[in-house]
Each structure stands twice: as structure tokens, then as C-alpha cells.
Amino acid sequence: MATPWPMQKRLQNELLHLQRDPPVGISVNPNSASSTLTLWSVNVVGAPGSLYAGEHFQLQFTFGKRYPFESPEVIFIGGNIPVHPHVYSNGHICLSILTEDWSPALSVQAVCLSIVSMLSSCTEKKRPPDNTFYVKTCSKSPKKTKWWYHDDKV
Amino acid sequence: MALTDPTDWPGSMPDLRTIDNLLRCSICFEYLNVAMIIPSCSHNYCSLCIRRYMKYKRQCPSCNIEVSASELCNNRTLDELVKTFVAVRPYILKICKTFDAENQEGCPSSDKDLKTSKQQVKSGKSQVFASKQSPKKSTLAGHFTAVKPSKTAPVSNSEPYQAKTSADDFNVLDDDFVSPKLKSPSRTDRHSSNRLGTRPADDRSLVNQINDDVIDITEDFGTERPTASTSSSPAAGQATPIRRQATPRSNQATPSSNQAMPSCSQTTPSGSQTTPSGSQTTPGGSQTTPGGSRDKAECPVCGVPVPTKYINTHLDACLKRTQQTDTNKRIQKRKRIPAMVWKLVPDKEIKKKMRHYNLSIKGKRHELIKRLDEFILMYNAQCDAANPKSAEEIAKEVEKMEQLKTQPPQLKEAKVFKLKIEKGQTEDQMEKSKQEYLSAHKDQFSQLIAVARARMKGVKNKSSKTEAAGPNQTDASQDSNEAETSTSSEDSTASDRPVGSVTENSAVQELEDVMVLEDEVEKQQEDKRIPRDAAQDTSQEDAESDRTGSLFSEGSGGEEAMGNNGESEEMVMDTSESSLHMKQDDADLMASFSGSDVHGQADCRILVPSSPSVASKDGMEDSQSQNMTRAKNETSSVKSDPAPDSLEPLCIPESPLSVVAETRRRKRKKQDCGSNASDSGSSFGDGDNVLRRSKRERKMVK
């Protein structure tokens, strides 16, 4: 109540939780979320047994001022962007919980786990069919894209 | 308050973590503050959180079931639970940690005990617990005493119980588990008091029997039984097993049972806070009944003994009175403020409402609406609370929060040397902040002026001939000499210098993206055997269009992100746009200075920092890009200008460029928009030029 932004306290809570009790294969980069708390980078390891087993990926979370009520912006960054039918080569992710299906009951941890599970359920490593076009025309923030979620298999 | 988290609990006690988690709101991750339950799915959230969320989506955040704000119900039990848990949390935590450290094996059992302890606390029976715990737990009981002395104090001294065997302990635990099911505190009490009046004889016998019993719950239960006055009677039903368990214990420790009795009589009033009169008289009633119970009956409502003849009239009066207090209570409960469609409400009405709630009516309409919305949200959330805050308090809180929000974090401000002017500021305020800024950076300004003067001397010597010529030429010469101030010149295309230098900079930024993009395109198109150059060209074109698009979107995005005063469109200038202005107004400005001497130039510089351009929302980005541009121009000026610029100070508070840009911008505002079309046309050309240039640069880098 006392803090000007309700998001700050919640983010602190989430960070604390993730640092103390991280799920397997997920770790927060401690330097990334140092001062402002609004930009995190999270290291994710592909789940064993999946096509991405052992691969290391980096996710970038950007939290807006209305964070728990509005979804964070999540993209893959770094050199290794997974080749996946729902991940564009610029790191944008087509995942419904990142936009319209977002709920404040979700957390960074939940998002990371969904992304890992999305990667795990992939059967063939390939880019989305419209990758070239999208990467050329898209805005920098995936939140500005009007996503069309048509494939719930992968 | 320190940050608490479910992970505070040792990993060996996952159940405690679960409990902690369950008592938290899944929106704010804090302990539930005025819990509201969604009846259709039974998820709980803080009142404020869920109401705020309802503005985004009308569904349960956890299960996406459709809900409307009117469906939300209070969950006071949960509130109490949270309150108690938060109070005892540090103590339980302390004990858990010591246990965890001491002995890994002991953990599961202690865990279980502690859980039961929480149940005890919840049902307001901590004294039973305290009196019956093994010595190990007596420390915990002590802690409870510290927290709630009124409840625990009378019994916590009952030493004999602490010497119990563990088997006995189990029995106690069993009893306590049964107790909440059997008895809901206030209602049964009222029941028993009713019965007490009508069946005095039974009660007396019961009380005698209960004297042997330890547990107060059994007593309550016993009084409820109409005819089962003996504990051995099969009609006693559920109560019987408890007594059987309890009896041997009372045999074992008779003195302690006597000690425990006072606590029984004390719990009764505390258990039923809603009907204090009825429960308080319970012991009294049972004691007085032996005297004159034949012709007097106790009123079931107020508990006063009344002659049997008058009991009906008395009862009527009593009931009427209670009904009245009920309605009073209902009136006392605050009504929520209904939601409004602000678009349909005129300014006057909004202001009237705000005055009514003691809110300040400063600011623009949308600010007012925002403030009022926030107030209504908090007010409605407070309506759910047991003891809602007053409207004035909420109004103060809302305004305080707003102030905090508009103030950017202190840390950031310390780093950015910027003149900040908000849109809502008055002339005086702006003037004041300008003065402050000027005085704060006086040294740097004077340094700049000195540098400029030195340079101007060189320029004068050099361009004394050209000064006599037309203004256009002067422009060009001054411009090239004064690389620091000027961003672009009219004849830049001729001299192959970038025109939209600000755009250029962003283009450089985009360059990397373009490169990545190109690589991709190349990869794909190589397969199709398309000549490489052609592929590059198309990608360049695409990239260009993409770039302009993204520039605009970035501008608006930045504005959104800043959030505070997103309305200041005037201040917010797209980078490309501003460059355009510069180019267009360059001529005017330079023309005005064409015949000027050194002093004139200096003046122009001083003007610079005071211009409100600094306050533009995308200031950070702007200044960065401008700095870069300046650096670029410097290098180019080294080529074209024989007088070197190397003495330039590195830490300049505000790039003078932006000042010039601002003056131009202002000028432009006054001008007609007639020249826009031609401007935009030329700017596209410039963009092309820039791209080509940047491409060349990249090749050079390669």
C-alpha cells in the first residue's frame, strides 16, 4: 500500500522467491534485476528428453507499470534463440498467456515454465512459416503484435 | 514491513509453505487484505486487487471463470485466519528454524503439531492447547501468551498438564480436531443459553457432571443435549467418545481439572462476542436457577429473568429492539460508489463529486477522472473491510499515492542532468526551473561559450570574405564551421553530409537489426539463386520502411512507458520529425544570426539550455542520439573545417543542439503548416541518403 507502484512489491516478492527456490532449469540473472526491477533476464535450460535438452536460452522480461494486471513483455535474447514453430528469429514468442490470456495469478516462474513446456512439446525444430515476413515488419515489442493463436498442439 | 515469502519456511516443511501460500492473494502476493471470495469458484483475493483487476477483465484470475464485481463476497473467517497467522508467524518461524537446525528427524512431528496449533488459534482455543502441550511445545504456548495474553494467561500456568505422556497428548489432539466440527462458537452458545433458561434442572445436573470434565467444548455440547443428562447415555451421540477419552484423564489429574474449570467459564464469553449478554449470564443463570426458577424464565433474547406471565410481551419488546439494532447495522455498512461512465459525465459533475469526497480538483479532466477512479476503487474496497477507513482518509491516501507516482525515483533523477518542464507547469515555475538549471551548470556553459568564442574568431578571419555575400551562403559557411550547434545545413546533400542527422543516428542504431535481417534474407534468397545485390537492395528498402514505422511506434511507446504525463504530445517529438524541423528552420535561425558577431552567437548558446525542449518525453533517447550526432558532426567538421574542435568539453549538461532544435520547434509552431508537404518529401530523400551512407559505413567497417 505504501509503495507508489503495487508492482514493485510483487516483483520483489517474485524475485526473492525465484532466487531462493528456483524450479529446475530456471535461474534469474542476479545482475539483471538489480536496480529498477523492471527488466529481468532469466536463464532457461531445455528440459531433458525434449528436442532442446541441455540447450541454454535467455529470456528477457520487461515489466510495465501496470504489471500484475498487464502481462510482461517476454522475448528470447542472446545468441541462442530456439528454433521452434512459435518462436520467431528475433526472439518474439507466440504464446497466448503473454498477451490475451494473461492473468495476474501468473508469475515469472509460471511463464518460464510454460515456455519450457512449450519447447518440450515441440516435435520438429523449425521456424514459424511467416518468420521472414514477421521479423521484417514487426515492431520491437511483441506486445504490439496482434497475435493469432491457432495451434495449441505444440 | 519486511518482505515475507513462503520460502521463508524451511524446505523440509512444505506444508507450512502451502499454508503460507494459501493465505496470500495471488494478485499481489501479499497476505490477504480484506479477503473477497468468488462464490462460483471459491478463490480468494484482496478486495482492492480483485476490484482493480475487474477493470481489466471480469473473470477469476486463477480459473478464468466469469465473475462480476457484485458477486464478490466477504470471507471474514479467512481475514481472521490471516490476521492470526501473521501475528504468530515470526514465532512459528523461529521455532521451525531451530527445529530444522537441531534435528532433521524431529521435523515432521513438530510440523504436524504446529499445524494443529494453528487450528487452535483459529478457533480461539489456544488456552486448551497451551495447557495440554508437552514441555517441548510449552515454549510455543509461551509465545502465544505473548501475542494474546488475555486468552492464554489464565491457563498457561497449569503446570501439571505439561508432564503428560505422549499418548495422552495424542488424545488431546484428537479432541481438538473434533472440537471445531462439533461446535461453532457463537451459535451454540446462544443455543445453550436458551436452553439454560427453559431447563434449569437439567442444566444443574449437567454442570455437576461437567465439573469432572476438562474440556470446555464438551460442556457446551452437553448443555445442548435436551434430555441426555448423563454422559453414559447413548443419546449423547458424538459427544460421548470425547467424554470417554476425557474422563480417564480427569481421573489422573483431578486437581488440574479444577484448575481448568475457570478457563471454561472464561472462554464462553470470549467465544460469543456477538451475544455478550447471553453468554455472560450463562454461568450466572445456571447458578441462580436453584433459587427462584419456578415462576421466572430467562428471556432467550436478552437473558434477563422475567416472570413467566410476562415472558411473551417481554420477548416481543426484546425482538423489536434487536431488529432495530440490526437495521442500524445495515445502515452503518457503507454503500459502494457505483461505477460511472465518465465519458458521459460533464466536467462540472466530476468536480462536484470530487469536492464532495474532499479530493483536489487540480489538473486536466483525464487526471481528475483517474484520481476519482482510484478513489472509488479504494473506497469500494474499504467498504468490504470490517472497519472501513473514512472517505477523507482514503482521499488523502489517493493523493499521496498520486504524488509518489508522479515523482520519478530519486536515483534516476540524480543521474540525468536535464531541465525538466512538465506540461502543467505555470510560466513562473518554468522560469524558476530554468534559472536553477542555468545556475547549476554555469561552469559548463561558460566553458562552452569560451570555446565558441575562440572558434568564432577563427571563423571570422576565415569567412570575412563570404560574409559580404548573400545570407544563404553565410548559412552554409557558418554551419560547417559550427559543427557543434548545427545539426544540418541546407546544402548538405551537395557536400554529401547527412541531412537528417538525428535520423541518421537512429538509422545507425537500426543498422544492426537491418544486418541481421539482411543475413536472413540472404540465406533464404541464396537458395533461390537471386543475385546478392538485388536481395540486399530489396531488404534495404524494406528495412527503410520498417525503420520509419518503428521509429514512430517507438516514440509513442516511449511515451506510454513513461506513463506519467502521456498527454504532453506537443513536447514529444518523434526523432525523425525533429530532425526535419531542424533542417527547415535552420535557415531561419542562421539567417537571423547571419550578420551577428561573437556575442550574438554566445547569446544563442545561452538560450539553449533554457529551452523546454529538454523536457521532451523521449529526452533520454533524444539527448543520447544528439550527443552521438554531435560527435559525428565533429568528425566531419574536422574534415571540412581547418580549425580543430578537439578542445570541446566532454561533459556537457545538455547538448546545445537540443536547444536550437527547441527554438526552431517553437518557431515552427507559430508558422503555418503549409510547408509540411515539401518538408516531408525532402525528408524521405534524406532518409534514403542516410541509409546509403550508413550502408557505406558498414562496408567500411567490414
Side-chain angles (χ1 to χ4, degrees):
Chain A
M1 288 294 282
T3 49
W5 308 106
M7 46 91 76
Q8 265 179 353
K9 214 165 181 196
R10 164 159 166 159
L11 279 178
Q12 273 176 345
N13 250 326
E14 281 197 53
L15 188 63
L16 194 72
H17 193 107
L18 259 182
Q19 280 174 343
R20 279 198 199 163
D21 188 22
V24 182
I26 291 170
S27 60
V28 191
N29 193 344
N31 303 324
S32 68
S34 53
S35 57
T36 55
L37 272 177
T38 51
L39 193 76
W40 297 18
S41 77
V42 180
N43 299 318
V44 175
V45 184
S50 68
L51 286 179
Y52 305 89
E55 281 189 68
H56 288 260
F57 305 110
Q58 210 175 9
L59 283 168
Q60 179 183 279
F61 283 75
T62 316
F63 301 97
K65 291 249 153 86
R66 287 182 274 250
Y67 161 52
F69 301 102
E70 280 182 4
S71 61
E73 181 194 307
V74 186
I75 52 170
F76 277 105
I77 53 167
N80 192 10
I81 287 167
V83 179
H84 184 278
H86 294 168
V87 180
Y88 290 89
S89 55
N90 57 358
H92 290 199
I93 307 164
C94 177
L95 185 61
S96 68
I97 58 161
L98 294 181
T99 51
E100 57 193 58
D101 285 348
W102 168 258
S103 137
L106 292 167
S107 59
V108 174
Q109 185 177 328
V111 168
C112 288
L113 287 176
S114 329
I115 288 172
V116 170
S117 107
M118 182 185 88
L119 292 181
S120 305
S121 56
C122 176
T123 50
E124 186 194 356
K125 275 193 179 185
K126 62 173 182 188
R127 289 262 181 242
D130 57 340
N131 185 36
T132 333
F133 178 74
Y134 174 74
V135 171
K136 261 195 241 169
T137 55
C138 73
S139 133
K140 261 192 181 166
S141 163
K143 291 190 82 175
K144 294 214 167 70
T145 306
K146 180 86 187 122
W147 296 98
W148 179 43
Y149 308 105
H150 61 287
D151 180 14
D152 53 357
K153 284 175 205 138
V154 181
Chain B
M1 204 182 100
L3 206 60
T4 58
D5 191 80
T7 47
D8 290 343
W9 303 99
S12 55
M13 300 171 187
D15 292 345
L16 277 173
R17 282 192 184 183
T18 316
I19 294 172
D20 196 290
N21 250 333
L22 287 174
L23 295 180
R24 283 171 187 270
C25 165
S26 47
I27 295 177
C28 62
F29 287 18
E30 297 287 316
Y31 286 111
L32 285 161
N33 176 24
V34 189
M36 298 301 276
I37 190 169
I38 298 174
S40 39
C41 64
S42 77
H43 284 116
N44 292 281
Y45 305 96
C46 301
S47 178
L48 188 61
C49 292
I50 189 67
R51 282 180 195 286
R52 208 184 281 269
Y53 182 62
M54 288 290 179
K55 295 198 162 190
Y56 294 78
K57 273 182 185 178
R58 291 176 180 270
Q59 61 183 34
C60 170
S62 301
C63 59
N64 291 352
I65 203 168
E66 291 265 323
V67 198
S68 70
S70 57
E71 282 174 57
L72 298 172
C73 290
N74 270 110
N75 196 347
R76 297 252 191 258
T77 323
L78 197 55
D79 279 342
E80 286 297 304
L81 190 55
V82 168
K83 210 171 116 195
T84 328
F85 181 73
V86 170
V88 298
R89 190 180 191 270
Y91 304 109
I92 305 177
L93 196 61
K94 206 169 144 194
I95 292 162
C96 283
K97 278 188 176 158
T98 47
F99 272 143
D100 202 43
E102 268 174 24
N103 172 9
Q104 290 289 335
E105 287 172 20
C107 276
S109 72
S110 74
D111 192 12
K112 194 183 163 192
D113 285 354
L114 285 166
K115 261 193 283 169
T116 52
S117 86
K118 250 170 262 151
Q119 285 212 343
Q120 294 288 330
V121 174
K122 179 201 164 190
S123 57
K125 296 247 174 283
S126 58
Q127 64 273 56
V128 179
F129 166 76
S131 64
K132 280 160 201 168
Q133 286 302 310
S134 59
K136 227 201 302 185
K137 257 93 248 164
S138 70
T139 48
L140 185 60
H143 287 306
F144 281 137
T145 325
V147 178
K148 298 206 156 53
S150 61
K151 279 188 185 173
T152 27
V155 213
S156 57
N157 290 333
S158 55
E159 292 285 338
Y161 272 112
Q162 291 181 354
K164 279 192 177 219
T165 57
S166 60
D168 224 333
D169 222 325
F170 250 124
N171 275 344
V172 175
L173 287 177
D174 283 350
D175 287 355
D176 294 337
F177 271 130
V178 179
S179 63
K181 284 181 204 158
L182 293 181
K183 184 210 168 207
S184 70
S186 62
R187 270 178 216 163
T188 35
D189 273 29
R190 204 178 294 160
H191 259 288
S192 62
S193 67
N194 288 352
R195 301 270 155 85
L196 276 173
T198 48
R199 258 178 295 276
D202 277 3
D203 272 336
R204 215 180 343 150
S205 62
L206 262 178
V207 167
N208 287 339
Q209 279 171 356
I210 288 155
N211 267 340
D212 297 333
D213 269 346
V214 187
I215 309 161
D216 50 16
I217 307 126
T218 357
E219 176 206 60
D220 282 337
F221 210 85
T223 47
E224 248 189 302
R225 303 276 131 202
T227 48
S229 50
T230 52
S231 63
S232 58
S233 153
Q238 282 173 304
T240 333
I242 297 173
R243 268 192 219 169
R244 268 188 210 142
Q245 282 171 357
T247 340
R249 207 184 313 132
S250 57
N251 288 343
Q252 273 179 355
T254 337
S256 67
S257 76
N258 289 339
Q259 268 189 342
M261 264 317 285
S263 81
C264 293
S265 54
Q266 273 185 351
T267 27
T268 337
S270 72
S272 58
Q273 284 167 341
T274 44
T275 57
S277 60
S279 53
Q280 268 174 357
T281 47
T282 314
S286 57
Q287 279 164 14
T288 49
T289 34
S293 61
R294 291 292 127 92
D295 42 356
K296 276 192 179 179
E298 209 170 85
C299 168
V301 179
C302 65
V304 176
V306 182
T308 346
K309 323 183 231 183
Y310 302 123
I311 185 75
N312 277 336
T313 46
H314 172 85
L315 204 56
D316 285 346
C318 257
L319 284 173
K320 234 181 213 171
R321 219 182 304 142
T322 47
Q323 265 181 358
Q324 272 179 353
T325 52
D326 271 2
T327 49
N328 278 347
K329 265 183 195 168
R330 227 169 285 148
I331 290 165
Q332 272 173 9
K333 201 192 172 188
R334 250 183 357 199
K335 265 193 182 171
R336 292 195 191 98
I337 306 171
M340 303 280 273
V341 183
W342 297 121
K343 275 188 183 169
L344 305 177
V345 183
D347 275 0
K348 238 185 183 179
E349 198 70 20
I350 291 176
K351 283 188 180 168
K352 199 177 150 194
K353 263 187 183 286
M354 294 184 75
R355 261 188 230 112
H356 180 249
Y357 296 123
N358 293 320
L359 284 165
S360 85
I361 48 169
K362 258 191 260 170
K364 292 263 160 62
R365 181 187 158 91
H366 69 270
E367 285 172 319
L368 296 185
I369 290 175
K370 212 171 156 190
R371 197 177 300 148
L372 190 53
D373 255 349
E374 185 68 21
F375 172 79
I376 290 176
L377 194 71
M378 286 179 79
Y379 186 90
N380 287 350
Q382 279 297 320
C383 286
D384 300 325
N387 305 309
K389 286 180 194 166
S390 69
E392 291 89 57
E393 268 180 281
I394 299 171
K396 266 183 201 166
E397 223 166 278
V398 168
E399 273 164 26
K400 210 172 154 191
M401 295 268 266
E402 201 181 304
Q403 271 188 354
L404 281 171
K405 274 187 192 179
T406 47
Q407 273 175 5
Q410 294 284 321
L411 274 174
K412 267 188 187 172
E413 219 164 18
K415 280 179 192 168
V416 180
F417 299 107
K418 269 190 183 293
L419 176 60
K420 288 216 167 170
I421 293 171
E422 304 293 332
K423 201 189 174 191
Q425 277 181 326
T426 60
E427 285 284 319
D428 292 346
Q429 282 172 322
M430 279 163 71
E431 200 59 41
K432 205 181 162 192
S433 49
K434 273 185 208 169
Q435 291 301 330
E436 278 171 12
Y437 183 79
L438 277 179
S439 58
H441 301 290
K442 208 177 175 184
D443 293 350
Q444 284 162 323
F445 284 128
S446 52
Q447 212 175 350
L448 274 176
I449 292 166
V451 170
R453 277 189 181 150
R455 205 185 318 129
M456 278 309 289
K457 272 180 192 169
V459 172
K460 259 196 172 177
N461 292 340
K462 196 191 159 200
S463 62
S464 51
K465 294 170 198 168
T466 45
E467 228 165 23
N472 274 343
Q473 280 185 7
T474 340
D475 278 356
S477 65
Q478 274 193 353
D479 219 25
S480 59
N481 287 330
E482 204 186 280
E484 180 202 323
T485 351
S486 66
T487 47
S488 51
S489 62
E490 290 267 34
D491 55 348
S492 57
T493 36
S495 64
D496 200 23
R497 252 185 60 188
V499 186
S501 36
V502 177
T503 347
E504 181 208 7
N505 172 49
S506 56
V508 173
Q509 278 183 344
E510 292 286 321
L511 201 62
E512 289 177 11
D513 295 2
V514 174
M515 280 171 73
V516 172
L517 204 147
E518 266 188 334
D519 288 346
E520 285 223 314
V521 175
E522 275 168 27
K523 263 185 220 164
Q524 293 201 345
Q525 294 195 337
E526 266 170 11
D527 296 342
K528 294 175 191 171
R529 308 285 173 207
I530 288 175
R532 193 188 158 133
D533 276 5
Q536 267 190 352
D537 278 351
T538 51
S539 72
Q540 281 283 0
E541 273 171 23
D542 284 341
E544 193 195 339
S545 61
D546 176 32
R547 181 177 53 79
T548 46
S550 68
L551 264 177
F552 277 95
S553 66
E554 262 169 51
S556 61
E559 191 189 348
E560 248 173 54
M562 292 304 283
N564 325 348
N565 299 345
E567 68 280 358
S568 58
E569 300 150 355
E570 289 174 42
M571 300 291 196
V572 179
M573 290 285 199
D574 204 276
T575 41
S576 60
E577 208 186 333
S578 66
S579 79
L580 195 145
H581 298 172
M582 276 171 221
K583 191 171 68 77
Q584 194 245 325
D585 289 346
D586 213 35
D588 304 341
L589 195 77
M590 288 309 160
S592 67
F593 286 134
S594 59
S596 70
D597 54 359
V598 183
H599 289 287
Q601 288 291 338
D603 280 349
C604 143
R605 297 260 166 103
I606 291 164
L607 251 176
V608 171
S610 66
S611 72
S613 79
V614 190
S616 65
K617 284 291 150 200
D618 46 349
M620 280 282 279
E621 218 176 287
D622 229 7
S623 72
Q624 273 182 0
S625 64
Q626 279 162 353
N627 281 339
M628 282 180 72
T629 335
R630 207 185 54 236
K632 271 221 166 111
N633 282 337
E634 270 170 31
T635 54
S636 63
S637 74
V638 172
K639 281 178 209 160
S640 62
D641 189 14
D645 263 336
S646 54
L647 280 175
E648 202 155 81
L650 279 176
C651 63
I652 297 157
E654 189 55 53
S655 141
L657 183 81
S658 67
V659 183
V660 177
E662 175 53 26
T663 46
R664 282 175 196 142
R665 228 177 266 172
R666 281 188 160 179
K667 256 190 181 176
R668 197 192 130 102
K669 261 178 220 161
K670 284 171 198 165
Q671 281 177 350
D672 287 343
C673 305
S675 55
N676 269 357
S678 61
D679 272 347
S680 63
S682 63
S683 80
F684 272 114
D686 298 341
D688 246 338
N689 193 21
V690 168
L691 252 180
R692 237 171 276 139
R693 194 184 135 84
S694 57
K695 198 174 165 188
R696 206 177 308 136
E697 273 178 9
R698 201 184 76 233
K699 277 182 183 167
M700 280 171 74
V701 170
K702 273 184 181 174

